[in-house]
Amino acid sequence: MQCLRKNVSCARKSQCCPGETEARPLSHACQQGKVRVCKVCGDRKNCAKMANLGVLPGTELELICPRRGRQCMIKVNGGTLSLDETTAENIFVTSV
């Protein structure tokens, strides 16, 4: 699976996803509920930003308000974050 932007490689991968084919971008998650982060793609700045916010491979998130391609809201480590479309496309998740 490749990142959605050209010339950008996936910076972090995790073995938490049994089948990489099951992973999908957070922006394409259809329903509210818990998801597990499989990998975070993008440039170094984006990966560092997500790491500082607690969005790392293996972390469970609660998807509060899926917007299917627009901004989405997640709960992670007791805090609530609003992510733009580009950021959500670079976070690959599976259902828990």
Side-chain angles (χ1 to χ4, degrees):
M1 191 177 312
Q2 302 235 342
C3 290
L4 301 174
R5 291 189 207 169
K6 290 182 178 179
N7 301 324
V8 177
S9 62
C10 293
R12 303 192 91 173
K13 290 188 178 182
S14 175
Q15 300 300 328
C16 72
C17 302
E20 284 284 332
T21 57
E22 295 176 14
R24 64 189 179 281
L26 182 60
S27 60
H28 295 170
C30 310
Q31 57 191 7
Q32 295 177 338
K34 293 194 176 192
V35 294
R36 180 171 313 225
V37 178
C38 289
K39 60 185 169 184
V40 178
C41 298
D43 59 7
R44 179 174 255 183
K45 182 179 176 183
N46 182 55
C47 291
K49 179 179 171 184
M50 291 297 99
N52 285 332
L53 293 171
V55 180
L56 296 165
T59 304
E60 283 189 18
L61 310 174
E62 184 178 351
L63 186 56
I64 299 171
C65 187
R67 294 287 185 184
R68 301 204 78 186
R70 296 193 180 166
Q71 286 185 325
C72 65
M73 292 180 70
I74 60 170
K75 264 189 164 178
V76 60
N77 298 331
T80 304
L81 302 173
S82 179
L83 304 174
D84 65 357
E85 179 181 0
T86 306
T87 303
E89 284 178 353
N90 285 317
I91 301 171
F92 286 80
V93 298
T94 57
S95 297
V96 174

